[in-house]
Amino acid sequence: MPAAVIPAAVIGVLDLLLGSPYSLLPLLAAVPALALLRPAEPRRVLVVAVAVAVAAVPSAVQYGPDRPVSVSTSLLAAAISTLMLWIVCRRHQRGERDRAELRRVADTMRRAVLRPVPGRLGPVTAEVRYLAAAEHAPRSAVPGAGTRARVRAGVRGRPRPDGEGAGVGGDLYDMVATPFGVRVIVGDVMGKGLPAVEAVADVLGAFRELAQHERDLAAVAVRLDAFLGTRGREEEFVTVLLAEVPGEGGIARLVNCGHPPPLLLSDGAVAFADLPAYASSPPLGLLRVAGSDGPVAHATVPFGPGDGLLLYTDGVGEARDPEGRFYPLAERVAVLNRQGPRGLVRRLERDLRAHVGGDPGDDAALLLVRMEPVPVPLPGSPYEPPHALT
């Protein structure tokens, strides 16, 4: 409001000091426009109207008898400007409400598509974070709140568990208990917007079904690729990383379809998983285009008690700081892991936001699974997971 109140007061005082035949009264018509530099709530327009009236009345009384047309025209112009300011603020307020509603709808869609990952399934615990890209990250509903507020919230604010309030993008993840062990998927759909959301929902739905019935992890990837072929979108593809932890533990099976390699955390060491060629293939949807029959086998990596497997999307590895430097994922995970296994993904999210200075330029998902001893569930306990692994 100072952007409008102070100029109105200055114009009113100078107009009285100048005296006849000079008058600055017509300049009051421009005062409400200054308030548009930072749109406010409509009720605050009353403050601008009062400021303009207080500045105009003494001059109108002084010059009205001698120049009634000029004075009345100036007052009418100031009134019209104030009315236009009120209309603009009303539209701005409605726009903010509509955007807030869209954010709520997007958050509901995200929760419906990306179901919350269970904290534990058998011997496997999980921690997940979803970071929305800057172009569709949620913004403050307070008018005028901008990038600096989001940067402060991203770097120092409370982390949003499981991507709460993050909106909907093309990244996907899930973890399910199956008769063959705990199976995990992390992926990234080509494209943005509603088509990407639709593809995410379809891929996750197919994965949840296939994971329960396909014994071989590689066969799950092949069937997912065939499923994408039935969607009738030849240009559509999805990069995914599939992981499986058998009930007895000790190893993790991996199949990579065009996705960034996972990070293995074992005995304090952090390294990218070096998967052989037979466990790697083009993204889903491109296997037939590439002339491949799909992955024929999975790769196994050691995965004992206390070991961790960090799966992520390319929005993490490709995140850049203001100087264009990529986020050093492996190095930062090694540093942050020394602070203890608990809360590693939460610390990693904060560190990533600090690196880019706010929200990343692309959607980013982080899913950390760890092998831990299996708690003994009480008989008939409601917390006993389905297909409990022993």
Side-chain angles (χ1 to χ4, degrees), residues 40-246:
E41 298 177 6
R43 58 187 176 85
R44 295 190 178 182
V45 177
L46 180 62
V47 178
V48 179
V50 171
V52 172
V54 170
V57 168
S59 297
V61 172
Q62 181 176 350
Y63 302 118
D66 299 329
R67 292 174 289 180
V69 175
S70 176
V71 170
S72 60
T73 302
S74 299
L75 294 178
L76 179 61
I80 292 176
S81 296
T82 304
L83 177 61
M84 295 302 297
L85 171 64
W86 182 83
I87 293 174
V88 170
C89 289
R90 283 282 297 175
R91 291 183 175 179
H92 179 81
Q93 185 182 57
R94 285 197 295 266
E96 286 294 324
R97 289 174 180 171
D98 291 342
R99 283 187 286 272
E101 181 62 25
L102 287 175
R103 287 193 291 270
R104 285 192 291 269
V105 171
D107 189 51
T108 301
M109 291 176 60
R110 184 201 61 79
R111 289 196 300 267
V113 174
L114 296 177
R115 301 172 185 172
V117 172
R120 173 185 284 274
L121 286 177
V124 179
T125 61
E127 184 181 1
V128 65
R129 285 293 186 277
Y130 186 98
L131 293 77
E135 66 262 21
H136 60 264
R139 303 188 180 191
S140 173
V142 179
T147 303
R148 287 178 294 177
R150 293 197 305 277
V151 170
R152 290 194 297 268
V155 176
R156 299 185 302 178
R158 293 184 296 271
R160 294 167 298 196
D162 204 14
E164 181 180 350
V168 181
D171 290 6
L172 58 93
Y173 54 83
D174 202 1
M175 182 174 78
V176 295
T178 75
F180 318 107
V182 175
R183 285 181 168 176
V184 182
I185 183 173
V186 169
D188 190 359
V189 175
M190 179 203 69
K192 300 288 183 183
L194 290 179
V197 176
E198 181 183 358
V200 168
D202 288 346
V203 170
L204 287 179
F207 168 76
R208 290 161 183 158
E209 179 67 20
L210 293 171
Q212 298 291 339
H213 302 287
E214 287 289 345
R215 179 175 297 275
D216 184 49
L217 187 65
V220 174
V222 175
R223 292 284 299 277
L224 283 174
D225 178 77
F227 168 76
L228 288 177
T230 64
R231 287 171 51 86
R233 298 179 182 178
E234 296 181 356
E235 72 283 359
E236 186 176 71
F237 65 88
V238 184
T239 67
V240 299
L241 179 67
L242 300 175
E244 176 185 291
V245 181

Side-chain angles (χ1 to χ4, degrees), residues 265 268-270 332-341 344 347 370:
L265 293 72
V270 177
R332 296 307 301 161
V333 170
V335 172
L336 297 173
N337 194 42
R338 298 191 190 108
Q339 301 177 21
L344 173 60
R347 296 192 298 270
R370 288 188 183 274

